[in-house]
Structure formats: structure tokens, C-alpha cells
Amino acid sequence: MTGLLKRLFIWTIAAGLILPFAVVFGVSINAESNIAFPPTEFSGRWYIMLLTESDWLIPIGNSFTIAFFAALIAVSIALAANYVLWRLNSGFGRAIFALGIGPFLLPPIIIAMGASVFWAEAGWYGRMEATIISHGVFFVTLPLVVISRGFAALSDDVIDASRIMGATPRQTFTKVILPLVAPYVVTGYVLVAIISVNEYLISYMVSGFAVETLPIRIFNNVRYGYSPVVASAAMGFAFITVLSLLALSMVTDLLKLLGARRD
Amino acid sequence: MAQLSFNSIGRTYGEFTALSDVNLEIGSGEFICLLGPSGCGKTTLLRILAGLETTTRGAVHLNGEDFSNVPCHQRNIGMVFQSLALFPHLSVGENIAYGLDVRGVDKKARHARAEELTALVGLPGLSDRPVSALSGGQRQRVAIARALAIEPVLFLMDEPFSALDAGLREHLQIEVKKLQRKLGVTTLFVTHDQNEAMSIADRIVILNDGVIEQAGTPTEVYARPQSEFVANFMGTNNVLDVEFVPGADVIWNGISLGRPSGEMATLSGKRKLSVRPEYLQLAPVGTTGTGMLGTVEFVRLLGAQVETELTVAGHRIIDTMISDRPPAFGEGDRAEILIKLDHAWVIPS
Amino acid sequence: MKRFALAPHLIGLYPLGMMVIFFLGPLAFMIVVSFYLRDPLGFYKVDFTWENYGKFFSSFYYSVSLRSIWTSALASLLTVALAFPAIYVITDMRRKWQLAWVIGLLALMCLSEVVIGFAWVILMSESAGIPRLLGWLGLWEDPRSLSPSRLAMLIGMVSLGFSLVALMFFPQLSQRDRSIEEAAQTLGTPPAQVFFRIVLPIFRPGLAASLVTMFVYYLGVYVMPTMLGRPQDWNMSVIITDKAVEQANMPLGAALAVIMLIFTVLLIGGFALATRKEGAK
């Protein structure tokens, strides 16, 4: 009896989460040029439009460029912070770690506002580099936490063994620590890249009027009128996100990384 | 209180068979140990009894009634889990009284019963403490008290002491046994430690790979193992492949072990002989006239005993003796080995 | 007696520097700008005035604040009430199914507010969504779009935060000692009651923390209210952006943001203190 209720509940939740996307998918493959579901005639033209028209290609390019570099920044900060905390375990390390957690606790509007004011003063308001740096710094929390799990998994014995065998701290880092922490670093990178590609508010407020990212374009479209291409853009997002995560799951034990128990 | 029977119990998980054709009868008030190596099925059997697992085949009967359809929460079973599973958000007293709370017993009666049980298990006055404030041994007692509070028809324990130090473990083993004798509740105790089983069980049920190898008193399974597995699993043993020839000596690897008497004299053909180390004797070379000659590989001084490991014709033979005198043989020495055949046991095939 | 290791401290200067300059810096700037005056021709005129803060104490901003708090609290409660039981069920599934769910939840978590909002706009629209389905089934005579509306906004918000809460509880629920629930059963708890009698009380602290976390999170959503809500449903974040960008009054926007920052810090700080007191008891 409870088993049945549980299954019903979980399937309802699944439906609620997937249904919107099922509909968007249907809209994106509809041949008609107004938003309608179910599709009367199937056509892939909206996807073709998405991938050929510069109106869309430029925002796509912008989003990916920003994501690529922002993720590098975020992960480098997260790795350095984790290493310092792990190595020193002092107030210094903890302070840095706390700073890394900070951005996650604050509502994005506060951060976005602060960033736009900051860059206005610094003179980089409207430049892609500004968004890259802001994304890199504000999305530090997720890789910080993921990589901290990686360091937590490092047993002292392995490090001690390396030292006893005569390795310098640098060698221990490159030969022992880095390979063991690598899956977590890669996961952190992929997650930040995905989040950056999907982010709206900060990129809008820092450089939105000059650098159009994909979410900005979609948002403007929804506000001011759109065709089904937007649906194909939305689905494109969903596909890429899911595919990246699937790829990640094949390379790493995703469940373990997120904290599942070992059996 | 309970007469329990397992009838043709089978349990498979896809390709893997956890239990196959398990038959067992347990009398009211018995203290049974389910013993075996990891993966033998002992915990599965216990969980089937508790109602936490179902059977693929067969049924469990309690007092003649089919237990299998009774849901877990209606079976009135008290169980102590390996991790103890104490409720972290409740105090000691609330933990113990939980089963009564669920049954609708009023607060005053619950409190009284909890006090009764804390005294019974040796934890007087700790009712209001949070469980996190207790030591390992104290938490054990709370788990036991909680299971007994509901006056269960069966008392189940799943390797409860495996995480404790040897001293504390032995202490608790004795306490549980005394408690069980006092209350008379039918008890099933799962363990992989044969010393534990030997200490406290009325009967030991030895499982291996999902089947029962033997069920008997500690003396029975030790002195009269019914299979080679049991012979080797219980204590240290020497299991020899011998050949019986009627009217002649028993032969092992071309060596004579002596002339059998009594029932053993009637046997013929190849058999497995179980010879406990305490029934071997070592003597200097050339003193006994026996053909069994070995080289000492290792000597273990175990305090009360001395265990000597020898190699004879490529086989390992173990001898133990009480250390009332220093060992006569050291590593590398040669010694003659005498076997007391009347204390040997032929393993049924 | 530990030796002072130079290298890690030097390495530590990189993350420290980055976070101080590009995270604390912007916050500091924002506080400073909140005291400036609006400049219709540029961003702002450097000045010092409490005027912007004064504007907060008008009835308009009060009602927006109250509305923000009410909506965030409601959304937070709904999200946790749905996501916690869901992840409880998921962590008992076979590994294969857990992975599928986790990938789906991660994807949802990473997916843009804009995309999720858009999906719900479509699902609620009269030409492609539920209204159309109900109309086609004959259950709704003249189907209209379900958004923008407060309900649509709430649904969008909950779907946004669902995956966050679910993934937050994943480690704890996955690693929990299931024999505690089994023990409860052997002691007489019917399976249906185990969740309410045992699991919920044990997770009370975690649930409280997630309610507070999601409350702060929902205070900050911008896209959902804009896409799925009417102007009278908009929360503080939307108003701030509106003032700062659309109405070119950055100092006012900054002041409102600072007030929100103070509120958030007080809330989180208060909660952290309360949990520390509980833990010490």
C-alpha cells in the first residue's frame, strides 16, 4: 500500500518536472510558426535556424566563451582555496573558504547590482571580460564544495606514504593529490560551465546591453514576442546540459561525488 | 512461549541464492546462534524471521501458524541491530519505551516499564540522558532493553557485539545469556565468531553458502562435525584423508595411524578423519615407533596453550597442549606424532 | 610546533585576492553608491544622502517587502514539503534509477531560470499548454492562459528550487542508517507512519536549515516573477532591478539592495546562532 503511494507520488513529481519540457520540445519541432502544441506537422527548421542565423549564433558563442573562461577561474580559485585549507588548516585557510561560500548565501540581485556598480567604476562595464570575472568569482561555491569532498576523501596515509618515499610537497601534489582530486575538479568545472551558460541576471546587469548571451536573448524574446526558435533554443540548453552530465557520469562516479553511500 | 519452524526456506536475489532449502525447528526458550562466514545467509534468515525480508520459497511457522503473511510491525519481535539503530532524537527512556508508545500505552505505564528495564540491563537512573551521551556498552544495553520492553515472542540479535573490544564483548555475552535464562524468551543470535557461539548458545546452527551444515549443541558440533566444513570452521582441526581397511591399520599418505577399535573397526574405504589438535601427542624421534614424522614449522605460545604447527608429508598438522611445562620442540626440530584414534571422529559423507 | 609554510600562504593569496577584489569589492561599492544621488544623464552623482534609504520607508516598498517575504516563505515551504519526501523515496531506489534521477535533478538545477520559466510559460499558455488540453477535453469552455498569475509564479519558483533541495538532502538521506527505520518497524510502527514518526523528527535540524536557505534563495529570484507573475506579484529583486536599470536610478537600487543584504545577513546570522545554541544544549 505504502509502496504504491510512494510510486504514485514520485511519478507525479517526475511528470511535473518533465512535462513543461515535453511541451517545449513539441513546440520546437512544430512546423507552424506560432506557438502551438501538439505539433501538427514536424519540422526541424527551428533548430536549423538556431544553428545558422547569426542572431542566434552570436549569443551562443558569447555564452560558451564566457562559460569556458569563467569556469577556469572558478575552479582555479576553488582548488587553490581547498589546497590551502587542507594544507594549513588554519584561520587563514578557513577565512578564504568562508569567502568562497559567501556568494552562494546572497540573493543574486545583490551580487549583480554590486558587480554592475563595481565594473561601472572600474571602467569595464559592458565588456565580456567583466562578466567572465564576475561569473568566475560568484560561482566559486559549487566547485569549492565539490573539491572539498575530494580533499576529504584523501586519506592521510597516502600523503604520508608519498612523503616517506621522498617526494617534495610539489611532487606529492602533482603525483598523488592532483590525480586523486582530478575527478572532482573536472566535475566542478563542468558544473560551473553549465551554470554560467545558463545564468541571466549577472550577465544582464554587467554587460547585457553590449554582450548578448543566450539566456538574455531568450528572455528578451519572451518579453517582446517570439517564434518557436526560442523553444528550440530552450531545448538546446536542456539537451546540452543533460548530455554534459551524462558524459560526466560515465567518467566519474557521480552518485559518490554527490554523497551517496558506497553500496 | 514460542515454537518456531522454518520450512524449506529459499531466498534468491536475481542470480544470487542467499538461502536454499533451510529447515529448522526451534523450541520455546532456546538460545540459538546462527553462525557462519560472511555471505552464508545467516543475516538473511534472521531478517526473514523479523519480517524485513520475504521468502522466495517456503514459510516460517510460529506456534503452528503461518507467520509469512504477518507484516513486520505486527510480529511482536524484539530485534537488536548491528548498528544498534537507537533513535537519536529520543532519550534513553523514550527509546526503551518506544514500542509501548506505538502500542498506545499511557505515559505513566511507559515510564514505569522503562525504569524497570533500565534496572534489568544495568543502567539505573539514565532514563533522561540523550543516547549520544552514552558509551558503547551502555548503548548496547539500551538497544537490548528497547527490544525486550515489548515482551516479544522472539528476541533477535544481529551481530550486536562485533564492534566492541574483546573484554566488553565477553562481559555482554554473559549478561545477555543470563538475561535470556531469566526471561525465558526464545532467542536467535547471529554471529560470525565461533567462540561467541560456543560460549552462549544452547544450540549452534552453522550455515554456509545458504544451506544449514549442522545444527547442534556446542559439544556436538565441535566433537562430532557432520561435514568437512563444520570440522574446519569450528576451532582448529586436522582433517585427514584416510583409508580404512577392515582388520588392518588406518592408512594416511602411506603412514599407519594405528589400529581402530569399536565402531571404527567396521569401516572400510576412503574417509575423512577429524583429529582435534588436543588429541595429538608429540614425542622425540625414535621413541614411539610411529611412522608419522614431521618438522616443526611454527610454535605459538598462547598463554594457556602451546600450539605447534608441523609439516608431515607436505601437509600441515597442528598440535596443541596445555602449557604446564615449556614446549619440548622448537622450530626446525623433528618430532614423532601420535594420534589418539579413539578420540578421532569420522566425518559422515 | 608547526613550521610556517610559505608556499601555501603564497598560493592562498590568489583565491583571497580574487574574492576580496571581485566579491567584497562590488559589495563595498554598492554600499557606497547607495548614498549617491541619481544622475539622469549618467549612473550617479557622487554625494552623500540618506534620501534613498528614506524612500524605503514608504508604503510601496513596505508592501513589496511583505509580499516578497510571504511569497518566499510559501514557496520555500512547498518546495521542501515536496522535495524532501521525493529524495527520501529516490535514495531507496536501485542505483540505476538513482543515477537517472540525479542527472535529471542536476540538469534542472543547472538549467537557466529563463529556460525553466519559458517552459512553464508555454505549459500555461492557451495555445500550447494545459489550458488548451483542458479545452480540448471539454473541461474548460474558453481556455485562457494560466500565466501571468501568482499561482503560475509560485509553481515556477517551486520547480526551480526543487532540485536544489533534493540534491541538498541527497547525501544525508542516502547515507542514513536504514536500520533505524527497520527498528521502528520491528517495534510496531506501521510502514506508512515510519516517515512521519521517525525520519522527519530526526531530520528536523536539516529541514529547518533548508527552509531558511530556500527562503533567502526565493527572495532573490528575478526571472520567475517577471515571466510568470503580474506586476502586482513582483518581489523586491524585480523592483530593485527595475529601479536601477529601467528607471536609471542606481543609487536607489543600491540602497534597496543594501537593505535586502542587511536583512539576509541578519536572518542567516540569527539562524546560525539559534542552531549553535540548540547544539550546545
Side-chain angles (χ1 to χ4, degrees):
Chain A
M1 180 51 197
T2 12
L4 192 63
L5 271 173
K6 275 188 195 173
R7 242 169 297 162
L8 197 65
F9 174 65
I10 210 73
W11 278 108
T12 315
I13 299 273
L17 294 173
I18 296 179
L19 204 57
F21 292 95
V23 175
V24 173
F25 181 64
V27 168
S28 71
I29 52 174
N30 194 359
E32 283 180 52
S33 61
N34 55 319
I35 306 292
F37 186 88
T40 48
E41 218 186 290
F42 294 108
S43 159
R45 76 187 223 228
W46 308 116
Y47 286 96
I48 296 174
M49 214 191 260
L50 179 71
L51 297 171
T52 51
E53 286 189 9
S54 65
D55 267 3
W56 286 99
L57 285 175
I58 293 179
I60 293 176
N62 286 339
S63 287
F64 282 152
T65 313
I66 293 174
F68 180 79
F69 290 107
L72 276 176
I73 295 178
V75 164
S76 65
I77 295 178
L79 185 59
N82 267 295
Y83 177 71
V84 171
L85 179 63
W86 174 79
R87 184 83 164 68
L88 296 177
N89 201 18
S90 65
F92 181 65
R94 274 191 283 270
I96 298 178
F97 204 83
L99 274 177
I101 304 277
F104 186 75
L105 298 172
L106 301 176
I109 182 60
I110 295 177
I111 296 175
M113 265 246 68
S116 68
V117 168
F118 178 82
W119 290 117
E121 281 296 312
W124 269 17
Y125 183 70
R127 292 182 65 161
M128 192 190 275
E129 293 86 333
T131 305
I132 291 177
I133 294 179
S134 286
H135 271 198
V137 169
F138 295 137
F139 297 145
V140 157
T141 315
L142 194 54
L144 193 69
V145 167
V146 169
I147 295 177
S148 81
R149 280 208 224 278
F151 273 90
L154 282 176
S155 63
D156 287 325
D157 322 351
V158 169
I159 307 300
D160 289 342
S162 170
R163 283 215 198 106
I164 289 175
M165 284 194 260
T168 66
R170 185 140 171 265
Q171 283 173 320
T172 308
F173 181 76
T174 46
K175 288 181 191 294
V176 181
I177 299 176
L178 207 51
L180 286 173
V181 172
Y184 297 85
V185 174
V186 170
T187 306
Y189 181 86
V190 173
L191 288 174
V192 173
I194 295 176
I195 290 175
S196 167
V197 164
N198 280 279
E199 200 274 338
Y200 171 79
L201 198 55
I202 297 174
S203 40
Y204 169 65
M205 292 205 77
V206 168
S207 61
F209 64 94
V211 179
E212 195 185 36
T213 63
L214 205 45
I216 292 176
R217 185 172 175 81
I218 296 179
F219 187 80
N220 288 336
N221 268 299
V222 175
R223 246 191 172 172
Y224 304 120
Y226 53 95
S227 70
V229 198
V230 187
S232 64
M235 283 319 290
F237 254 119
F239 284 144
I240 292 182
T241 307
V242 173
L243 280 170
S244 317
L245 289 170
L246 268 172
L248 196 60
S249 74
M250 286 194 253
V251 183
T252 59
D253 186 351
L254 207 53
L255 284 176
K256 186 180 81 159
L257 280 168
L258 289 168
R261 75 193 279 170
R262 251 152 279 111
D263 50 46
Chain B
M1 245 204 287
Q3 196 185 338
L4 196 57
S5 68
F6 294 87
N7 302 307
S8 303
I9 302 283
R11 185 59 165 112
T12 52
Y13 296 99
E15 297 277 317
F16 174 67
T17 308
L19 293 168
S20 55
D21 200 31
V22 168
N23 291 286
L24 185 62
E25 298 245 330
I26 297 175
S28 174
E30 267 201 280
F31 194 122
I32 301 284
C33 267
L34 299 177
L35 174 68
S38 319
C40 67
K42 55 194 192 291
T43 299
T44 310
L45 195 60
L46 196 77
R47 288 171 63 86
I48 285 175
L49 188 54
L52 296 168
E53 302 271 355
T54 52
T55 56
T56 322
R57 241 174 302 112
V60 180
H61 287 82
L62 181 68
N63 290 326
E65 310 244 338
D66 189 346
F67 216 24
S68 317
N69 291 319
V70 180
C72 171
H73 64 284
Q74 289 173 357
R75 290 196 182 191
N76 207 29
I77 285 183
M79 184 159 172
V80 177
F81 291 81
Q82 196 166 1
S83 69
L84 301 184
L86 297 179
F87 302 129
H89 63 299
L90 300 177
S91 69
V92 166
E94 287 168 336
N95 258 281
I96 296 175
Y98 180 82
L100 302 166
D101 188 8
V102 172
R103 283 164 176 74
V105 174
D106 71 86
K107 197 158 183 193
K108 225 169 139 203
R110 291 202 314 259
H111 190 73
R113 182 90 174 118
E115 292 295 318
E116 204 185 305
L117 278 149
T118 49
L120 187 68
V121 297
L123 289 175
L126 289 177
S127 286
D128 293 321
R129 293 268 182 90
V131 291
S132 50
L134 301 178
S135 70
Q138 288 174 322
R139 294 159 61 93
Q140 283 285 347
R141 291 172 217 260
V142 175
I144 292 170
R146 183 177 70 175
L148 294 174
I150 56 176
E151 291 181 89
V153 299
L154 294 169
F155 184 48
L156 308 181
M157 301 182 86
D158 186 3
E159 300 200 58
F161 307 143
S162 51
L164 301 175
D165 307 332
L168 185 58
R169 199 186 312 156
E170 280 169 21
H171 189 72
L172 283 169
Q173 284 165 7
I174 298 172
E175 281 201 32
V176 166
K177 179 71 180 183
K178 285 192 186 161
L179 197 60
Q180 191 265 352
R181 253 192 222 134
K182 184 171 177 179
L183 297 173
V185 60
T186 311
T187 301
L188 280 94
F189 187 107
V190 166
T191 178
H192 64 270
D193 180 355
Q194 29 135 336
N195 284 320
E196 192 165 55
M198 297 276 272
S199 317
I200 56 179
D202 291 338
R203 273 198 301 155
I204 304 179
V205 177
I206 301 170
L207 287 119
N208 181 34
D209 259 340
V211 288
I212 293 183
E213 294 268 346
Q214 186 172 357
T217 65
T219 321
E220 276 171 18
V221 297
Y222 184 78
R224 295 183 284 284
Q226 299 295 308
S227 71
E228 192 176 352
F229 176 81
V230 177
N232 282 316
F233 189 78
M234 301 303 299
T236 351
N237 208 350
N238 299 298
V239 176
L240 309 173
D241 291 308
V242 301
E243 184 155 7
F244 284 93
V245 181
D249 287 356
V250 184
I251 306 292
W252 175 68
N253 271 27
I255 304 169
S256 159
L257 300 183
R259 184 69 52 99
S261 60
E263 274 225 29
M264 243 190 259
T266 63
L267 298 171
S268 81
K270 290 198 174 24
R271 291 286 221 258
K272 289 200 189 279
L273 196 68
S274 149
V275 186
R276 289 287 174 190
E278 55 267 28
Y279 293 118
L280 294 176
Q281 218 174 343
L282 300 180
V285 183
T287 53
T288 60
T290 172
M292 203 172 189
L293 196 63
T295 318
V296 177
E297 293 288 335
F298 202 80
V299 178
R300 267 194 207 92
L301 302 167
L302 297 171
Q305 293 176 319
V306 176
E307 198 176 271
T308 313
E309 207 175 291
L310 305 105
T311 317
V312 182
H315 292 260
R316 197 174 71 140
I317 300 285
I318 300 181
D319 160 87
T320 56
M321 63 180 201
I322 304 174
S323 50
D324 52 354
R325 66 204 104 115
F329 301 95
E331 273 167 49
D333 291 350
R334 304 270 286 165
E336 291 188 347
I337 304 168
L338 273 171
I339 293 186
K340 300 191 181 143
L341 259 180
D342 15 331
H343 289 279
W345 165 259
V346 180
I347 298 172
S349 39
Chain C
M1 182 61 212
K2 262 198 164 146
R3 274 189 4 248
F4 180 82
L6 183 63
H9 281 90
L10 284 178
I11 295 175
L13 287 178
Y14 167 62
L16 187 65
M18 291 295 281
M19 296 312 289
V20 166
I21 299 174
F22 296 110
F23 170 52
L24 292 182
L27 287 182
F29 266 88
M30 191 176 69
I31 296 174
V32 168
V33 169
S34 69
F35 293 107
Y36 289 177
L37 265 182
R38 173 193 190 180
D39 183 354
L41 298 170
F43 285 117
Y44 36 72
K45 249 186 335 213
V46 179
D47 205 334
F48 186 88
T49 169
W50 287 95
E51 190 184 309
N52 297 309
Y53 286 98
K55 288 221 178 97
F56 176 72
F57 294 98
S58 71
S59 65
F60 173 65
Y61 293 109
Y62 258 168
S63 65
V64 173
S65 306
L66 282 170
R67 194 194 310 150
S68 291
I69 292 176
W70 167 241
T71 318
S72 299
L74 187 60
S76 169
L77 197 65
L78 279 171
T79 312
V80 175
L82 286 174
F84 183 76
I87 202 74
Y88 170 74
V89 172
I90 290 171
T91 48
D92 284 336
M93 290 180 179
R94 268 193 295 244
R95 204 103 175 146
K96 190 176 59 174
W97 285 108
Q98 279 193 55
L99 188 61
W101 267 101
V102 160
I103 290 181
L105 287 169
L106 263 176
L108 262 175
M109 188 182 85
C110 301
L111 211 52
S112 179
E113 277 190 296
V114 174
V115 174
I116 298 178
F118 175 70
W120 281 105
V121 167
I122 297 287
L123 190 61
M124 306 243 183
S125 69
E126 51 186 47
S127 59
I130 290 180
R132 184 185 152 95
L133 174 71
L134 293 178
W136 181 75
L137 286 173
L139 293 167
W140 194 348
E141 293 249 325
D142 184 20
R144 290 288 168 74
S145 174
L146 286 171
S147 77
S149 70
R150 185 166 284 198
L151 179 65
M153 184 179 79
L154 267 173
I155 293 178
M157 283 165 77
V158 170
S159 77
L160 196 60
F162 183 91
S163 49
L164 262 174
V165 177
L167 289 170
M168 257 199 281
F169 278 112
F170 182 73
Q172 297 174 54
L173 280 171
S174 178
Q175 290 179 19
R176 75 186 195 275
D177 184 4
R178 283 158 180 79
S179 46
I180 290 185
E181 289 151 66
E182 291 180 340
Q185 280 198 313
T186 61
L187 288 164
T189 322
Q193 284 187 34
V194 170
F195 178 76
F196 297 99
R197 269 194 105 114
I198 300 291
V199 181
L200 281 183
I202 292 180
F203 276 90
R204 199 167 54 104
L207 287 167
S210 74
L211 279 171
V212 172
T213 310
M214 293 320 286
F215 178 75
V216 172
Y217 178 79
Y218 284 132
L219 279 180
V221 289
Y222 169 82
V223 175
M224 283 303 169
T226 326
M227 272 188 162
L228 291 166
R230 311 154 297 176
Q232 59 258 52
D233 303 314
W234 288 352
N235 67 0
M236 203 48 146
S237 293
V238 183
I239 301 294
I240 292 178
T241 323
D242 188 48
K243 294 289 163 222
V245 180
E246 319 273 318
Q247 297 188 24
N249 192 348
M250 230 184 234
L252 178 59
L256 293 172
V258 170
I259 292 177
M260 196 182 193
L261 175 63
I262 295 174
F263 178 72
T264 308
V265 169
L266 283 174
L267 183 66
I268 295 179
F271 181 74
L273 256 144
T275 24
R276 204 163 299 162
K277 269 202 212 141
E278 267 262 329
K281 258 202 288 193

